[in-house]
């Protein structure tokens, strides 16, 4: 795009300095607005925070460092997270949502089968999640036990663990499980599985895969859960 402008040059006319105008055209170039690098800064912050969590732990996460990594001002994250704790809570919430999807998928795949098959599938899904997302799971469990944990985080946690509660309740209705609070019965299973994961190395314990050990643990737990005649 060209625009008409006037330039000129100076001459000395007697004792006066006179400018002689001369029309000319100048190419006008409009600067293209620089697009915002992160269309969803909140999402970018959560992804970057999870990478740091996996690589070096919670202590290495800071809003300022994440801002530098993402190429935004150090105040930009405050639009989404008031402080580091708010970011960690959001990360834990996302973890519980994934956990819910994982356990829910396992529960749906075993509908119509007996209690043992359903519980084994659910247990293996739990162990698989714990091995794949060990740092995230630790953050999730720590976050849910904080006295000031956000309500939405607690609700997400309850939804995820409710798959086990439902499995036990339906097992009781089918006469395959002893009476009792289904929630407390499910805690026994999850505690045993979490202990198994914590003493494992690279998904094994003494050379035996956790997948195999999970099946054996469920076998023994079910023996204790069967109704007494």
């Amino acid at each position: 795009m060209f625009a008409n402008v006037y330039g000129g040059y100076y001459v000395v006319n007697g004792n006066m300095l006179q400018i002689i105008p001369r029309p000319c055209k100048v190419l006008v170039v409009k600067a293209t607005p620089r697009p915002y690098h992160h269309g969803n800064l909140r999402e970018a912050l959560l992804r970057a925070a999870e990478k740091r969590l996996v690589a070096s732990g919670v202590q290495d996460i800071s809003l300022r460092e994440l801002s530098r990594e993402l190429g935004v001002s150090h105040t930009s994250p405050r639009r989404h997270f008031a402080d580091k704790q708010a970011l960690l809570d959001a990360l834990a919430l996302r973890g519980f949502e994934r956990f819910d999807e994982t356990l829910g998928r396992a529960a749906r795949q075993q509908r119509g089968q007996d209690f043992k098959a359903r519980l084994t599938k659910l247990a293996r899904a739990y162990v698989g999640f714990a091995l794949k997302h060990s740092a995230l799971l630790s953050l999730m469990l720590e976050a849910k036990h904080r006295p000031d944990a956000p309500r939405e985080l607690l609700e997400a946690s309850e939804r995820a663990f409710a798959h086990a509660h439902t499995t036990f309740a339906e097992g009781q209705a089918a006469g395959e499980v002893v009476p009792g609070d289904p929630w407390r019965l499910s805690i026994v299973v999850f505690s045993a599985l979490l202990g198994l994961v914590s003493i494992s190395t690279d998904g094994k314990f003494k050379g035996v895969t956790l997948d195999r050990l999970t099946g054996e643990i469920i076998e023994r737990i079910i023996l204790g859960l069967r109704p007494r005649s």
Side-chain angles (χ1 to χ4, degrees):
M1 174 180 174
F2 288 89
N4 292 321
V5 297
Y6 284 88
Y9 54 92
Y10 291 94
V11 296
V12 178
N13 185 7
N15 294 325
M16 297 178 60
L17 185 65
Q18 184 177 358
I19 183 171
I20 307 297
R22 183 176 65 182
C24 59
K25 290 184 179 293
V26 175
L27 178 64
V28 178
V29 179
K30 289 186 176 181
T32 302
R34 184 179 179 184
Y36 185 53
H37 182 62
H38 298 288
N40 189 339
L41 179 58
R42 186 179 190 280
E43 178 67 22
L45 286 166
L46 287 170
R47 286 200 304 265
E50 185 171 354
K51 286 181 181 178
R52 289 205 172 208
L53 175 68
V54 173
S56 50
V58 174
Q59 69 280 354
D60 194 42
I61 298 176
S62 78
L63 291 176
R64 183 175 290 273
E65 287 301 317
L66 292 177
S67 301
R68 184 177 294 111
E69 178 182 330
L70 296 174
V72 298
S73 70
H74 70 275
T75 59
S76 295
R78 305 286 178 182
R79 301 170 190 167
H80 306 284
F81 305 108
D83 52 27
K84 175 179 175 177
Q85 188 59 60
L87 172 64
L88 295 179
D89 286 342
L91 196 57
L93 172 60
R94 167 168 291 192
F96 277 117
E97 290 170 346
R98 283 192 219 157
F99 191 41
D100 182 19
E101 291 174 4
T102 299
L103 297 186
R105 186 164 52 249
R108 289 190 297 272
Q109 289 172 351
Q110 297 302 316
R111 280 180 180 163
Q113 297 191 13
D114 63 15
F115 175 70
K116 176 184 175 182
R118 295 182 64 190
L119 185 60
T120 301
K121 184 72 175 181
L122 199 67
R124 283 180 168 144
Y126 176 86
V127 170
F129 184 93
L131 289 174
K132 186 177 181 180
H133 306 289
S134 57
L136 180 60
L137 183 61
S138 294
L139 174 69
M140 290 159 52
L141 297 178
E142 181 179 346
K144 77 182 288 289
H145 289 116
R146 248 187 30 252
D148 59 341
R151 181 175 181 79
E152 60 178 345
L153 190 153
L154 296 176
E155 291 174 348
S157 168
E158 290 177 3
R159 284 194 299 272
F161 285 107
H163 295 293
H165 174 278
T166 300
T167 299
F168 274 89
E170 292 176 351
Q172 288 174 324
E176 298 178 271
V177 181
V178 295
D181 182 355
W183 193 267
R184 292 196 177 192
L185 294 175
S186 66
I187 289 175
V188 173
V189 176
F190 280 123
S191 298
L193 296 175
L194 188 59
L196 175 64
V197 172
S198 68
I199 62 175
S200 68
T201 304
D202 297 328
K204 296 180 181 180
F205 180 69
K206 293 187 176 180
V208 183
T209 66
L210 293 197
D211 187 68
R212 177 180 169 184
L213 288 173
T214 297
E216 293 180 3
I217 285 176
I218 297 303
E219 285 269 7
R220 285 159 176 74
I221 289 177
I222 286 179
L223 287 176
L225 293 172
R226 283 178 181 162
R228 279 66 169 173
S229 56

